[in-house]
Amino acid sequence: LPRPRQQHPVVLLIGGAHAGEIDGKDAGLILLRELLVSNQPNNPLQHLTVVFVPVFNVDGHENRGRYLRPNQNGPLEPGDRLTAQRINLNRDWMLAQTPEMQAMLRLVQRWDPDVTLDLHVTDGIRYRHNVAISHAPMFSPHAEVQSVSNLLLQQVISRLTRRGHAPLDFYPVLNDPEDPSLGMTQEVDTPRFSHVYATIRNRIGFLVEDHAWDDYASRVRTCMATVLASLETVAEHRDTVLRT
């Protein structure tokens, strides 16, 4: 089929790659429903094509249990991180060994998204920020893609901050989980992750991590705000994104 993005940038939203981290499913469904019935002139859907996968890891979503995410504050019965084959989908972008990833790559090939947002929840440390957004523009061979990726991320961070959120523009990893005083590292992720895989295709990818210590309702609101800020930012810079 022809690439259906001649006039508008394509944004791919992925929820439930780790089905225990399911904020993105509810946040995306609520937000898109609100946008679809909105007649506001600044509605980003007027300027974008949005492709939404609410639950990437369907098997994990159905394998729910109270003790699958003990370090996470809700929901009561989250899904499983892995598929029925016990494979982590957000480590499978290069190998494509699962039927789920093979289907996702066909979707990516068909729609060729300009921007991908993969919606997750943190596993690690407790800190004051309520969302961390990562990207890996250094993997792109084209300086313009790197520049636009940096521009979009900082615009999203600014929007979220103005709206009362506390975003972080990288995912913090403690050098020693037992001793925070030893500092933290900003890791360089590999193409097995969705946001890096997008980058090596010369597209833009963001990994969104809500904070596991926040309660579920708060995390869904944070995720909604992050997706909305991202859609608004891409819509505002749509001509630049399409030229990149």
Side-chain angles (χ1 to χ4, degrees):
L1 294 176
R3 186 171 187 256
R5 68 150 201 154
Q6 296 179 359
Q7 297 181 345
H8 301 307
V10 175
V11 178
L12 172 62
L13 307 176
I14 303 173
H18 297 152
E21 307 167 27
I22 203 61
D23 305 10
K25 178 188 74 170
D26 289 334
L29 290 172
I30 295 169
L31 176 64
L32 290 177
R33 179 182 63 190
E34 292 178 354
L35 292 176
L36 285 168
V37 299
S38 171
N39 294 320
Q40 295 299 317
N42 60 346
N43 187 336
L45 294 189
Q46 299 292 334
H47 308 290
L48 303 174
T49 297
V50 176
V51 180
F52 180 37
V53 179
V55 181
F56 186 12
N57 179 8
V58 176
D59 289 338
H61 182 272
E62 297 307 302
N63 184 27
R64 294 186 293 272
R66 293 194 176 192
Y67 308 109
L68 291 173
R69 296 276 294 174
N71 64 328
Q72 181 175 290
N73 189 3
L76 181 62
E77 291 190 348
D80 198 342
R81 183 178 181 84
L82 306 178
T83 68
Q85 297 174 291
R86 313 312 295 161
I87 293 174
N88 185 333
L89 288 179
N90 203 31
R91 307 295 186 272
D92 194 35
W93 283 85
M94 289 297 289
L95 292 176
Q97 59 190 323
T98 60
E100 295 93 338
M101 184 57 71
Q102 292 161 17
M104 175 63 76
L105 293 179
R106 288 194 294 271
L107 184 77
V108 168
Q109 183 179 28
R110 176 183 176 184
W111 288 93
D112 193 13
D114 299 277
V115 179
T116 298
L117 274 76
D118 199 354
L119 308 173
H120 289 257
V121 181
T122 60
D123 278 326
I125 62 176
R126 184 174 189 176
Y127 49 89
R128 295 182 180 181
H129 300 81
N130 62 356
V131 60
I133 309 173
S134 304
H135 69 154
M138 75 289 292
F139 281 96
S140 172
H142 296 295
E144 189 174 4
V145 174
Q146 299 179 34
S147 176
V148 173
S149 184
N150 285 319
L151 169 67
L152 296 182
L153 177 57
Q154 294 310 315
Q155 290 279 317
V156 171
I157 295 294
S158 296
R159 275 188 159 92
L160 286 170
T161 302
R162 291 196 301 270
R163 293 168 184 175
H165 292 273
L168 191 62
D169 61 357
F170 71 101
Y171 186 79
V173 178
L174 287 178
N175 292 324
D176 184 346
E178 303 300 324
D179 188 356
S181 68
L182 295 178
M184 62 181 63
T185 298
Q186 182 176 358
E187 291 186 334
V188 177
D189 294 321
T190 61
R192 63 180 182 161
F193 294 93
S194 60
H195 62 298
V196 188
Y197 185 86
T199 305
I200 64 173
R201 298 185 67 253
N202 282 316
R203 300 294 183 259
I204 296 169
F206 295 116
L207 178 65
V208 177
E209 298 269 2
D210 300 332
H211 198 304
W213 289 72
D214 290 342
D215 65 86
Y216 187 61
S218 297
R219 296 203 319 266
V220 169
R221 288 192 291 270
T222 297
C223 190
M224 288 175 60
T226 303
V227 173
L228 178 60
S230 301
L231 296 180
E232 290 174 340
T233 300
V234 177
E236 178 181 345
H237 298 282
R238 57 190 178 275
D239 293 337
T240 299
V241 171
L242 285 174
R243 286 197 306 268
T244 303

